[in-house]
């Protein structure tokens, strides 16, 4: 008997539909979407996924088979299966010997780098590496970063820990005489270290970027293509930078005269906003100074956070003379939201004990 239209599914309709509906509703799991038809795009994606998984399983089985053939299998008391690699092929032993020699060579080289007392010794060491092609191939990226950092520490201005103004002036005169003695050799040393850093730049992490940039910037290296390459390579790894290494890289780029892109500066702001609580007074002052030198103004909200953080450091007397000057320079170069009178009064009170450290012409 036919039921009128409007009754639940499972009954045929009168006058509206001649197709008999199924007596039971189709379960959701058995319904087929048009996209998953055998000729649809969804079916093609499923087939590709299955083929990729099958290929991965075959590769894993092949790898296990090779491991069993080229290793010694042993089972421990806990039931863990251990594969002990057996050095059967001569090539594997040769590679291991080369890696061992490379590690010993770089360990010795890093000790020599730390023992250099002037840039001439460092130049002689680099000349030895360049004369022998095999020796240069053995140098790894860690040794290259330490070479650049050591050069900046030996020739960079404003080294801390000097006792007395006369000792500092005498050191400055000796430094100027040594540079004037052979400027060509000094410039060649910078170029060679920059070239070695460019060869290993793909291996650098945040610490190595900071070491190379700080050392070469302090040494006066101003090659525009090199700093552009440093910017491009570091931009891909900015998310892994700590606050200390980020500040070092920013100060080095600002010192070198290179102007990074706006996207790079915005990403440094994002990274600094994650680490500002853990940043030391020197790192925070260097970050503000670098932004001011590069004519970049952070967002208003983050800028207010920096002002409060710096004022708290000034209240606790955590900023030295140079750091206070860096903070004032950076804040003065901002295009908006300059510090208010209360913040400036706090800075003046903090800087007053350091007035005697300034040169007479500035006082």
């Amino acid at each position: 008997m036919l039921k009128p239209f409007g009754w639940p599914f499972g009954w045929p309709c009168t006058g509206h539909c001649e197709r008999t509906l199924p007596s039971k509703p189709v379960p959701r799991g058995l319904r087929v979407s048009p996209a998953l038809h055998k000729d649809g795009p969804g079916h093609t994606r499923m087939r590709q996924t299955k083929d990729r998984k099958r290929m991965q399983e075959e590769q894993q089985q092949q790898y296990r088979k090779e491991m069993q053939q080229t290793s010694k299998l042993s089972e421990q008391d806990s039931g863990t299966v251990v594969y002990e690699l057996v050095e059967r092929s001569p090539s594997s032993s040769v590679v291991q010997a080369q890696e061992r020699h490379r590690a010993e060579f770089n360990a010795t080289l890093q000790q020599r780098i730390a023992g250099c007392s002037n840039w001439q010794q460092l130049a002689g060491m680099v000349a030895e590496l360049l004369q022998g092609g095999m020796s240069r191939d053995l140098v790894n990226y860690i040794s290259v970063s330490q070479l650049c950092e050591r050069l900046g520490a030996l020739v960079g201005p404003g080294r801390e820990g000097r006792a007395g103004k006369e000792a500092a002036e005498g050191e400055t005169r000796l430094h100027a005489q040594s540079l004037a003695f052979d400027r060509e050799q000094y410039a060649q040393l910078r170029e060679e270290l920059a070239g070695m850093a460019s060869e290993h730049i793909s291996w650098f992490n945040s610490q190595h970027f900071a070491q190379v940039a700080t050392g070469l910037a302090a040494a006066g290296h101003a090659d525009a293509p090199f700093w552009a390459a440093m910017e491009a390579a570091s931009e891909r790894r900015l998310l892994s930078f700590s606050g200390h290494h980020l500040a070092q890289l920013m100060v080095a780029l600002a010192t070198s005269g290179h102007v990074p892109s706006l996207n790079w500066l915005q990403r440094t702001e994002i990274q600094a906003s994650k680490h500002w609580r853990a940043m030391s007074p020197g790192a925070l002052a260097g970050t503000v100074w670098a932004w001011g030198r590069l004519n970049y103004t952070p967002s208003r909200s983050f800028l207010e956070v920096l002002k409060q953080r710096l004022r708290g450091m000034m209240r606790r007397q955590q900023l030295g003379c140079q750091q206070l000057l860096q903070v004032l320079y950076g804040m003065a170069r901002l295009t908006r939201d300059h510090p208010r009178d209360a913040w400036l009064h706090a800075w003046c009170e903090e800087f007053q004990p350091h007035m005697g450290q300034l040169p007479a012409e500035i006082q």
Side-chain angles (χ1 to χ4, degrees), residues 43-233:
H43 182 76
T44 304
R45 288 194 297 269
M46 291 178 61
R47 184 172 63 250
Q48 292 176 353
T49 303
K50 291 180 180 179
D51 294 342
R52 185 165 55 251
K53 290 183 178 179
R54 188 182 302 109
M55 183 177 62
Q56 292 175 354
E57 292 176 357
E58 293 177 357
Q59 291 178 353
Q60 291 177 359
Q61 292 177 0
Q62 182 67 20
Y63 177 74
R64 294 193 190 98
K65 184 177 179 180
E66 293 178 356
M67 285 286 293
Q68 293 175 359
Q69 293 176 355
T70 60
S71 61
K72 183 174 62 176
L73 182 64
S74 62
E75 186 174 356
Q76 298 180 353
D77 298 337
S78 59
T80 305
V81 177
V82 179
Y83 288 99
E84 298 180 4
L85 298 179
V86 180
E87 299 180 4
R88 292 181 178 178
S89 61
S91 60
S92 61
S93 59
V94 171
V95 171
Q96 291 181 0
Q98 291 177 353
E99 293 297 329
R100 191 180 303 109
H101 177 61
R102 183 189 300 271
E104 295 175 354
F105 175 83
N106 284 278
T108 305
L109 178 62
Q110 292 167 16
Q111 292 179 358
R112 293 181 59 189
I113 293 172
C116 291
S117 58
N118 52 59
W119 69 268
Q120 287 87 350
Q121 295 180 1
L122 202 66
M125 185 187 308
V126 174
E128 293 178 6
L129 296 175
L130 296 178
Q131 289 176 359
M134 182 62 68
S135 299
R136 180 169 182 172
D137 295 338
L138 293 176
V139 180
N140 59 14
Y141 61 98
I142 301 177
S143 299
V144 171
S145 62
Q146 292 187 8
L147 280 169
C148 298
E149 183 184 27
R150 188 59 180 168
L151 176 63
L154 292 174
V155 303
R159 283 181 285 177
E160 299 178 356
R162 299 298 181 186
K165 185 176 180 180
E166 296 181 357
E169 292 178 353
E171 179 69 19
T172 303
R173 287 194 298 269
L174 291 176
H175 171 66
Q177 292 174 2
S178 62
L179 290 184
F181 179 72
D182 196 352
R183 292 183 179 275
E184 183 179 354
Q185 182 183 5
Y186 178 71
Q188 183 180 0
L189 173 62
R190 290 185 310 186
E191 294 294 335
E192 291 170 350
L193 290 181
M196 296 173 67
S198 300
E199 294 176 1
H200 297 82
I201 197 170
S202 60
W203 292 88
F204 288 167
N205 58 20
S206 60
Q207 178 182 357
H208 306 132
F209 275 112
Q211 288 177 336
V212 172
T214 302
L216 292 180
H221 187 64
D223 184 37
F226 170 79
W227 291 111
M230 286 286 290
E231 176 195 349

